[in-house]
Amino acid sequence: MDVLVRQATWEADGVLSLVLVHPEGGELPAWSSGAHLDLHLGDRVRQYSLCGDPADRGRYRIAVLHAAGSRGGSAHVHEKVRPGQTVRIDGPRNHFTLEPSPRYLFVAGGIGITPILPMVRQVAAEGRGWRLVYGGRSRRSMAFLQEVAGYGDRVEVVPQDERGLLDLDALLGTPAADTLVYCCGPEPLLAAVEARCAAWPPGSLRLERFAAKPQDFGPDAPFEVVCQRSDVTARVEPGTSIVDALENVDVWVPSACREGICGTCETRVIDGTPDHRDSLLSDDERAAGKVMLPCVSRALTPRLVLDV
């Protein structure tokens, strides 16, 4: 759908927030804490977490970091998107859902604060136990500091130039069976949190990635994909994604990031064993083998049957 850019605000050095509204003043589709939008930016589609209030159906808010290594998405937002323009969105979608728990530990790094903000608002309103530890390069680079300051001593702000890196050993060194850990930020932070949570009870950690997790796979082997609903079979060669192979036989699977991080292409597996190469599905979802992300994943069996 098309939405109108109502407002653009500098939230920190290099961080621009956008308020998006319905062009005709109507309600926007509902969303829940942890959801993101697909934003169409010229010939690119990028994912940005919703960081406003899910109860406010009149507007969406996202925040975009002008990243030095941008592939063009953040530069487009910062240089070309202005109030009064319309932009195309898909979603909202949510693969970072806030699950019920007696207690929560939120760990945010830099722009990773964006999906955490609605979660903090929700658990605070529900009276649950929670704590937020928010790190960044400096206070000037950390968005929404005034918003999180309103929660008092439940929030710990850790600017690196003042206090160094987050003390993850102190935060995560003792597993807590009654606590879910939600973390979003740059890959080094996610990898460090993931390593320390390996000793926690299974399912304690939830991660949101802005880029694909570095992974090392062996050589690709060819395999067949049977599209049950389309009654088409395609051969997927080494170096070719399932999505591309299906497009070559006129079967279209919705996709956006092509990196296995947004979930747009999530597809039900009817038969065969996927070779999961995404950075999104949980360990339980991978083990079950009922869904896969065909933009990056392949097959461990000579044949996959998909619900497309």
Side-chain angles (χ1 to χ4, degrees):
M1 65 177 293
D2 288 333
V3 293
L4 179 69
V5 181
R6 172 63 54 79
Q7 181 179 333
T9 305
W10 290 106
E11 305 291 352
D13 284 355
V15 179
L16 183 69
S17 72
L18 302 178
V19 172
L20 310 174
V21 299
H22 194 289
E24 298 176 1
E27 287 192 339
L28 295 165
W31 61 283
S32 58
S33 300
H36 70 265
L37 294 177
D38 294 338
L39 193 62
H40 292 252
L41 303 167
D43 59 352
R44 309 172 186 90
V45 180
R46 296 291 184 265
Q47 291 72 45
Y48 298 107
S49 297
L50 285 160
C51 57
D53 184 356
D56 185 353
R57 295 289 301 278
R59 68 178 202 159
Y60 292 148
R61 184 179 68 169
I62 61 173
V64 181
L65 170 67
H66 195 170
S70 168
R71 297 166 298 158
S74 69
H76 184 109
V77 171
H78 280 250
E79 297 168 9
K80 298 183 179 180
V81 177
R82 297 291 181 267
Q85 296 178 351
T86 57
V87 293
R88 180 78 178 171
I89 63 169
D90 294 321
R93 298 186 178 89
N94 199 342
H95 293 274
F96 193 43
T97 55
L98 186 65
E99 304 292 341
S101 177
R103 298 187 59 82
Y104 300 89
L105 173 59
F106 300 108
V107 182
I111 197 64
I113 190 64
T114 51
I116 300 296
L117 281 177
M119 295 183 177
V120 165
R121 181 182 293 108
Q122 179 178 336
V123 299
E126 293 173 351
R128 298 180 183 271
W130 64 277
R131 180 186 180 192
L132 165 63
V133 181
Y134 176 19
R137 296 188 309 278
S138 68
R139 291 182 185 273
R140 291 182 60 187
S141 71
M142 299 171 70
F144 305 114
L145 285 180
Q146 287 188 336
E147 287 190 28
V148 299
Y151 296 106
D153 59 7
R154 287 185 179 271
V155 175
E156 182 179 4
V157 175
V158 187
Q160 186 177 344
D161 62 347
E162 298 176 22
R163 298 182 52 188
L165 297 173
L166 299 181
D167 188 350
L168 297 180
D169 291 330
L171 280 175
L172 302 168
T174 303
D178 66 342
T179 301
L180 289 182
V181 179
Y182 280 79
C183 180
C184 185
E187 182 58 37
L189 173 64
L190 301 183
V193 169
E194 200 168 25
R196 285 162 177 81
C197 284
W200 284 54
S204 296
L205 176 62
R206 307 286 193 276
L207 297 177
E208 173 91 320
R209 284 186 157 87
F210 294 135
K213 178 181 179 179
Q215 301 180 78
D216 185 21
F217 300 104
D220 292 345
F223 59 96
E224 283 191 340
V225 171
V226 178
C227 306
Q228 179 160 291
R229 283 191 285 119
S230 303
D231 194 24
V232 172
T233 298
R235 181 176 172 86
V236 183
E237 300 289 351
T240 300
S241 73
I242 295 175
V243 168
D244 287 338
L246 295 186
E247 286 181 354
N248 290 337
V249 294
D250 297 324
V251 176
W252 184 71
V253 176
S255 61
C257 71
R258 302 278 179 138
E259 295 182 22
I261 58 174
C262 76
T264 304
C265 68
E266 183 176 311
T267 302
R268 189 168 71 93
V269 178
I270 297 172
D271 191 32
T273 304
D275 179 9
H276 295 291
R277 300 187 178 188
D278 63 273
S279 302
L280 182 69
L281 296 179
S282 68
D283 290 341
D284 288 345
E285 288 172 319
R286 291 169 180 242
K290 300 298 184 183
V291 296
M292 69 181 300
L293 302 188
C295 68
V296 291
S297 297
R298 299 184 65 81
L300 296 175
T301 48
R303 183 173 174 268
L304 277 180
V305 181
L306 302 181
D307 184 24
V308 293

